[in-house]
Amino acid sequence: MGHSYAVTAEFYDLLQADDFRRLAERLTRRWLGTPRVGVLDVGAGTGLATALLAERTGLVVHAVEPSGPMRAVLLSRLAGNPQLLNRVRVHAVGVQDVGLTAAADFAWCVNTMACLDPEERAEGLAAIRAALVPGGRLVVQRPPHRVEPPWELPSRRLGDDLYTGQVTCADAGPDRATWRFTYRVTHGDQVVREARESFEVHLAQPPAFAAELRAAGLDPVGEDEPEIVIASAR
Ligand SMILES: C[S@@+](CC[C@H](N)C(=O)[O-])C[C@H]1O[C@@H](n2cnc3c(N)ncnc32)[C@H](O)[C@@H]1O
């Protein structure tokens, strides 16, 4: 999916934070438990889960985020939340290069696996395993397994303007798709601004992804919605 997010970072929280927060609240209530070592947030994005995990656990959260524009929002979030500053360590690399060992007993990777090609995915899962202590828990959202129909992001009003986002998905070859995001700012009937960003995403069938987890030393032990797998580090 690439590491740009140069267009998307501006609109991400406005259009997607509410849904993501609801999902993160529900999943952490069910699966977080009481970590004691540390937390890994893979594909931290704008830091929505990073902040929640740091607040909930009181532990150091390793936030792994390779995109500069997304990290800019993440750092702004932390800057406005002084009690989190000494508990979040930001790694400005892809997870496959994070190089952490036994630093966490809880890892979170939601809405991110689609960004990694199969080689990065294998390296990334191995890096997550290395970052976890034995028995540590991973909550991971599978990569998508098919080309999805178009969908609309929730729209938001800002002043007198309406911000909207549409996503279309196109086949891009074996196990690949292109997601096209179109963001629009409208004022009444007038389009004030339109911005687009495309991402290459990598698909994987659920049984194949489960096998990749096991190969990395991460045994699937549970499932949740949407497309969430819970795995335990061997
Ligand atoms: C769709 S965003 C999701 C962000 C956040 N997890 C959320 O759900 O709000 C995916 C994020 O994964 C990041 N990403 C892409 N490739 C990555 C990699 N190899 N390792 C870690 N993160 C990656 C992107 O830069 C982007 O911020």
Side-chain angles (χ1 to χ4, degrees), residues 16 34 57 60-61 68 78-79 102 106 121 127 132 149 166 177 181 191 208 225 231:
Q16 301 195 57
T34 314
T57 64
V60 168
V61 178
L78 296 177
F106 183 82
R121 211 159 61 219
L132 284 169
Q166 286 88 34
F181 285 68
V191 177
E225 294 296 328

Side-chain angles (χ1 to χ4, degrees), residues 50-211:
T50 314
L52 185 141
L53 290 165
E55 279 159 9
R56 288 275 161 85
T57 64
L59 297 172
V60 168
V61 178
H62 294 273
V64 185
E65 180 46 61
S67 154
M70 292 297 256
R71 275 200 317 277
V73 184
L74 161 61
L75 293 189
S76 295
R77 186 184 309 286
L78 296 177
N81 207 334
Q83 69 273 25
L84 297 185
L85 287 178
N86 62 351
R87 272 194 271 133
V88 177
R89 185 166 171 217
V90 176
H91 302 264
V93 293
V95 63
Q96 60 277 23
D97 298 318
V98 74
L100 292 169
T101 307
D105 48 355
F106 183 82
W108 169 267
C109 180
V110 172
N111 199 9
T112 293
M113 269 296 152
C115 303
L116 282 72
D117 68 30
E119 194 178 324
E120 290 170 334
R121 211 159 61 219
E123 291 172 4
L125 291 176
I128 293 172
R129 169 62 195 90
L132 284 169
V133 296
R137 176 176 290 175
L138 167 65
V139 172
V140 59
Q141 190 168 33
R142 293 184 190 103
H145 55 88
R146 58 169 181 240
V147 175
E148 303 284 350
W151 74 93
E152 299 266 335
L153 300 176
S155 56
R156 293 292 295 272
R157 266 196 191 281
L158 194 57
D160 279 350
D161 294 333
L162 184 68
Y163 284 65
T164 60
Q166 286 88 34
V167 190
T168 60
C169 202
D171 195 328
D175 292 331
R176 285 212 318 244
T178 304
W179 284 351
R180 293 197 177 87
F181 285 68
T182 305
Y183 302 100
R184 247 179 233 116
V185 183
T186 53
H187 189 85
D189 293 342
Q190 280 198 318
V191 177
V192 177
R193 197 149 71 87
E194 191 172 279
R196 295 169 192 268
E197 188 165 24
S198 293
F199 300 97
E200 185 183 341
V201 302
H202 300 275
L203 313 182
Q205 295 306 310
F209 184 64

